[in-house]
Amino acid sequence: MASIATPATLTPDTVPLGEGPPTREEMLVYYPAKFTWKQLKTFVNSGDLGLLKRDRKLQKRYDTWAQGIKAKYGSMANYLLNYRLQWGQHDSISILRSSLDEAPARAANGSATPVVTAAPDEPLDPKAAKKLPPLPPDAPPYFKADMSPELLSITMNDWPYSVPPEVEHSLIWSRVPILPPDLPPPSESRISARLHQDGLWGFTGNESPPPSPSTLPESLGALSEWGITMDKLVRSPRGTDEEEREVRKYGEEIEKFVKRRWDPREWETAWFVNPPRLQSVPELTHIHVFARRKTPEEIARAEINAQI
């Protein structure tokens, strides 16, 4: 993430506790990470994305903030459409900055320089119902890696999950569906049923395969304060090799996009799309990305291995 004050200077005496979206300093002082990077990857690959949690104290702060937002805007979706999302533009609102902001600017699709704008003014009527902007004629029917930046709004998660300080939590908001609209209903397709219950996930830039779901019991202790046990997991049993390949196909365009924005030579990511049962704003489709910038040693090691 973007550079901050030295950890030694960050204490409750030097970092005031606010009420709205937290600063990075507040995250470090009041909501330290509950999970390691390996544990996060284990949870993503476990088959139950519901294992990914926000700090419980931060969740309470979010719930209080969300009540105020809904009172002002009418709904969370209305807040996002009326104010928070800036289609095709650089995220100028988030107080949690990405280290990508310190590099040359990128467009929403990671390929061109975006229009950088100041934070928008508050709408005159915050509760005015607003819909997604009309789609251009050449818009794809569902998410594609090379679609126009104007169809996307990439933001930092203002209320990140409990991730380590070196991991950034970004959101890719899309004006088109993530999955093909002609996907059969879950009652008629085992693949659809899996996507509906489990969601989608994947990994990029990793030197070794992600942790196997069989290793989940080793990390479950980190979830003890949420009362998570193996018998409470909601996930589909592993299917045939053909079925697993078919499920992964639905994430291919997302993976291409993630690799384009977070160069695998420099970044390791775990991305996921929550299933409907876990979506906090089901009206607006979005992809979560946990991104960790690699150390110079990792990059050098990968370059050496590539030459062998």
Side-chain angles (χ1 to χ4, degrees):
M1 286 188 178
S3 56
I4 58 165
T6 0
T9 66
L10 301 179
T11 68
D13 292 330
T14 61
V15 178
L17 183 62
E19 296 181 346
T23 64
R24 177 163 161 79
E25 290 80 3
E26 285 181 278
M27 293 296 297
L28 291 169
V29 173
Y30 299 104
Y31 314 106
K34 299 293 177 68
F35 311 129
T36 65
W37 178 228
K38 182 179 179 180
Q39 287 170 338
L40 280 177
K41 292 188 291 182
T42 301
F43 298 156
V44 170
N45 207 34
S46 71
D48 185 355
L49 293 172
L51 299 184
L52 298 165
K53 303 292 186 182
R54 189 178 281 129
D55 182 286
R56 295 181 74 183
K57 291 184 294 182
L58 184 61
Q59 183 66 47
K60 288 182 180 179
R61 176 169 164 173
Y62 168 81
D63 292 341
T64 300
W65 171 84
Q67 288 177 3
I69 288 294
K70 290 173 184 176
K72 178 177 180 178
Y73 288 89
S75 69
M76 189 59 67
N78 222 34
Y79 159 73
L80 290 164
L81 289 170
N82 267 317
Y83 178 72
R84 181 66 182 90
L85 301 183
Q86 300 170 282
W87 303 108
Q89 299 176 0
H90 177 80
D91 178 16
S92 61
I93 297 175
S94 180
I95 57 177
L96 296 174
R97 310 309 301 174
S98 167
S99 62
L100 282 174
D101 295 334
E102 299 170 356
R106 295 169 180 258
N109 66 2
S111 60
T113 303
V115 176
V116 179
T117 59
D121 295 328
E122 289 281 354
L124 295 177
D125 181 5
K127 288 188 177 179
K130 189 171 182 179
K131 297 181 180 180
L132 285 167
L135 293 174
D138 60 347
Y142 60 96
F143 189 92
K144 294 287 186 180
D146 59 354
M147 64 187 191
S148 171
E150 67 177 309
L151 300 177
L152 300 169
S153 180
I154 301 179
T155 70
M156 293 292 284
N157 189 336
D158 296 330
W159 300 90
Y161 293 0
S162 193
V163 302
E166 71 274 14
V167 175
E168 302 178 357
H169 186 176
S170 296
L171 299 172
I172 305 168
W173 300 87
S174 171
R175 286 165 57 189
V176 298
I178 303 298
L179 296 173
D182 58 356
L183 196 67
S187 59
E188 298 177 10
S189 162
R190 178 165 170 77
I191 300 298
S192 295
R194 285 189 56 174
L195 293 170
H196 186 80
Q197 176 182 268
D198 304 333
L200 272 173
W201 62 86
F203 304 86
T204 66
N206 41 309
E207 292 183 345
S208 57
S212 166
S214 65
T215 66
L216 178 59
E218 301 170 16
S219 298
L220 220 51
L223 290 163
S224 59
E225 65 182 273
W226 287 272
I228 303 295
T229 53
M230 291 296 291
D231 60 304
K232 293 181 180 178
L233 299 184
V234 179
R235 57 180 179 176
S236 302
R238 180 177 173 82
T240 63
D241 289 346
E242 181 180 354
E243 184 178 301
E244 295 300 317
R245 284 193 296 270
E246 189 68 23
V247 169
R248 286 196 296 271
K249 278 184 182 178
Y250 287 98
E252 287 178 350
E253 290 296 320
I254 300 173
E255 184 159 316
K256 288 178 189 175
F257 182 94
V258 170
K259 286 181 175 178
R260 180 177 297 175
R261 183 171 177 86
W262 290 273
D263 187 337
R265 293 170 299 181
E266 300 176 7
W267 293 86
E268 182 184 8
T269 78
W271 61 264
F272 60 97
V273 179
N274 274 326
R277 65 186 176 89
L278 298 175
Q279 292 172 3
S280 57
V281 192
E283 304 95 323
L284 296 168
T285 56
H286 56 283
I287 302 158
H288 292 256
V289 180
F290 295 147
R292 181 188 68 86
R293 189 179 283 278
K294 294 180 179 179
T295 64
E297 293 75 19
E298 288 177 291
I299 295 173
R301 184 167 61 246
E303 289 175 351
I304 292 172
N305 291 336
Q307 296 170 4
I308 296 177

